Amino acid sequence: MPEIEMHELLLQGFRSVSAILNERHSTLIVDPILAELAELASRNEESDGVRRAILELLDSPDFSADAEVAQYFAYRFKWDWLKEEIRQRYLKSVSGVDHKRARHYQRMLEAFADDWEDRDLFPSLGIY
């Protein structure tokens, strides 16, 4: 799949997840969508399109579900590059004394742990 197509498909999915969570407030409802997006990403984990889509998710205020998507992908893939990106954002928030943003990124970082407490919010992660 071309990089640009991967990027656009993931962003479209992230928008859908954000819209559903805004309306329904349930990770159980978006879990199947996240599982499909992760399956799409798994076809080419080293894709620049995957990386760019996730970074855009983290950087753009247009995605209200950035924490949930990042947590899902963090737990599922445990990508070092993603962990470092989130860690850098966390450290910037801490040094800027933005406690709300720091906690936001801290929640994402917690999802890299094998024993992540909130894994049960996403039933499809039970198989990984």
Side-chain angles (χ1 to χ4, degrees), residues 57-71:
L57 168 82
L58 293 174
D59 290 335
S60 175
D62 296 336
F63 299 101
S64 58
D66 62 331
E68 292 82 0
V69 173
Q71 287 172 315

Side-chain angles (χ1 to χ4, degrees), residues 7 11 15 51-61 63:
H7 176 258
L11 288 180
R15 283 186 196 95
R51 186 179 300 227
R52 286 186 310 109
I54 291 175
L55 292 176
E56 190 170 332
L57 168 82
L58 293 174
D59 290 335
S60 175
F63 299 101

Side-chain angles (χ1 to χ4, degrees), residues 26-124:
S26 172
T27 57
L28 298 176
I29 295 171
V30 297
D31 180 70
I33 299 168
L34 289 169
E36 286 180 27
L37 293 172
E39 185 59 35
L40 177 66
S42 74
R43 293 180 194 156
N44 190 358
E45 292 182 40
E46 300 302 317
S47 165
D48 187 53
V50 171
R51 186 179 300 227
R52 286 186 310 109
I54 291 175
L55 292 176
E56 190 170 332
L57 168 82
L58 293 174
D59 290 335
S60 175
D62 296 336
F63 299 101
S64 58
D66 62 331
E68 292 82 0
V69 173
Q71 287 172 315
Y72 191 96
F73 277 72
Y75 186 83
R76 168 90 187 263
F77 296 106
K78 295 186 178 27
W79 290 320
D80 290 333
W81 67 265
L82 179 57
K83 188 174 186 177
E84 184 58 25
E85 286 289 338
I86 295 170
R87 190 179 76 76
Q88 289 301 320
R89 286 167 170 76
Y90 169 76
L91 293 173
K92 184 177 178 182
S93 298
V94 168
S95 67
V97 195
D98 185 345
H99 300 293
K100 184 176 179 180
R101 288 306 286 174
R103 180 62 188 130
H104 182 71
Y105 292 122
Q106 183 181 18
R107 286 181 37 236
M108 291 181 201
L109 287 170
E110 290 168 357
F112 284 93
D114 290 336
D115 62 348
W116 177 43
E117 289 180 6
D118 291 339
R119 179 182 69 220
D120 60 339
L121 296 173
F122 304 96
S124 65

